[in-house]
Amino acid sequence: MSEAAPRPIDRHLFAGFLRQHRGAAVAVAGWSLLEAVPALASGLLVAAALDRGFLAGRPAEGFFWIGLLGAAMVFRALMTRTLTPWLGRLVEPLRDELVTAVAAGAVHRAAAGARDAAGAGVARLTVQVETVRALVSALLRSARQLGVSLLMAFVGLAALSAPVAAVTLPPVLLTLLLCAPRLRVLARRQRRQLRAEERLTAAAGETFDGIRDVVASGAQDRVADDLSERITDHRDAVRAVARAASANTLLVSLGSHLPLLVLLLAAPRLLDRGALSVGELLGATSYLISGVAPALRSLVAVLGSWGVQLATVLRQLSRSTAQGPHGAAESQGRATAPRTPHLSLVNVGYTYGPGAAPVIDRLSLDIPAGSHLTVVGPSGAGKSTLTTLLAGLAAPDNGRLTLGGVPVTEVDRAWLHRAVTLIPQEAYVFTGTVRDNLRYLRPGARDADLLASATAVGARALVDRLGGLDAPVGLDGPPLSSGERQLVALARAHVSPASVVLLDEACCHLDPAAEERAERAFAARGTTLVVVAHRISSALRAPRVLVLDGERTAIGTHAQLLDGSPLYADLVGHWVAAGTP
């Protein structure tokens, strides 16, 4: 099965997105220019109303120019109304791309063995993606309008009076230059806040998921202290962001008044020299008071809050979409395709977190190609964890796990995903046809191959009942029971090119006869078969049985383990007492 790398979330995503939605982007730019007509014309119209109308003794003409200014305001409202739907055509598809990128990144990182906290992943997909959507929407509405208005105000000011533009533009540029370093400081503090938020979300999620274990082990105080520490970190990070934002606001507030102050100081000399008329002075003042000053304050404030927050969230999301430690990008140049699916574990250990007890501890095991092994053990002994390691979905913390003599961390990921198939207890059926589901792991499979595999694992009657290979399943089809979904998953794995099949209680919803048929079907095709047993019958069929439980771990035949492993004897007795075949 081919593996496509997720696209990183950064400025390149936005560039590609704008190219893909060029029509909407051009429309937004065009309507934005029309929307800014009042910002361009306001000072010119005020100057004309005074110089050509009221001061020249022609009040009717003065009112005419004022009327044009009012009409321009109405025109702006119409342009804003026309522009709004185009903003939606940019924002909503962007959100969809972000969701796709984050979800794909999570899947790729999991496939590459990365251990991302579930809570952090939820925070990315819900809080952070929705934050990006809201920020982009707000920036398109506000920063776009403010930026265009500020630009148009200076164009109008330059058209009205070049000397005034020459003396008022430098203070604006100085303010922007002074704010730039402050924005970088704010961005760093925003990143710290987001990291604190992810750590807090992850810790809270893990705590509440395992609250019964926390209470049972008497660890309430320690867990509460840990959560309190993370809450304090998050609070401090939020306060640091607020302090940086406040300092920036003060700087911009002072800087936005400088152009008007400079104009007032220069006005007497300009009026005396005839370089500026009274109408032009009032028009320039109108530009600065109603255009430049508020637009500058609002623009820098918006960029300093929403813009910095957007850049910070995107950077955080970009990290989450990178492939895991054993992804294709990092294994390039040293990825190896093993010649044989022989699995070997030497002193392998694995834990789920710092300070946690090992789920698997110093396990040594050989699984030759084509062999059949059943794994048994009490709940929590690490049976599912073992299949996860064997599938290459996680790397051991210590010891050595090899596939065909190649460390699993160096195995070519595409080869691994073709060669090893893991079927969990909860089987997945995708929306589509029966054919789509059965050939998912082998796209080129013929219909005859699909039906042969369905027959082999006992799913042919289900396929016929559904209406054949073209029948819809998933959301478009009839509801399937848990056992029927397992039959579909078993047939999918049987038709795949996999040479190693891992059944993690994958037949638990089938009756004993159907379970036996499916296991024998995989054994008959020469597949390396590892079965996490749901019934004692799975252990009776296997040439070797692994009893997994820390120091009491043992391996052997059914008869050997009955004599040599008290734990196995207890498990068998429990199965028999429960009436399990």
Side-chain angles (χ1 to χ4, degrees), residues 441-461:
L441 299 176
R442 185 181 164 192
R446 300 171 300 171
D447 286 357
D449 299 326
L450 303 181
L451 294 175
S453 289
T455 301
V457 300
R460 180 60 184 269

Side-chain angles (χ1 to χ4, degrees), residues 489-547:
L490 289 166
R492 179 194 303 139
H494 191 275
V495 81
S496 76
S499 51
V500 177
V501 174
L502 310 170
L503 305 181
D504 186 4
E505 296 197 31
C507 303
C508 63
H509 297 297
L510 303 180
D511 59 59
E515 178 184 56
E516 178 178 1
R517 179 172 183 173
E519 289 182 10
R520 292 194 184 280
F522 284 106
R525 73 193 282 264
T527 302
T528 299
L529 182 61
V530 178
V531 180
V532 173
H534 178 67
R535 299 180 177 92
I536 186 59
S537 51
S538 292
L540 296 175
R541 282 190 292 272
R544 289 196 307 162
V545 179
L546 171 66
V547 183

Side-chain angles (χ1 to χ4, degrees), residues 359 376-384 505 532-533 548-549 552 567 571 574:
V359 180
V376 301
S379 178
K383 302 186 295 296
S384 294
E505 296 197 31
V532 173
L548 194 61
D549 188 36
R552 297 191 292 175
L567 173 59
L571 290 171
H574 172 75

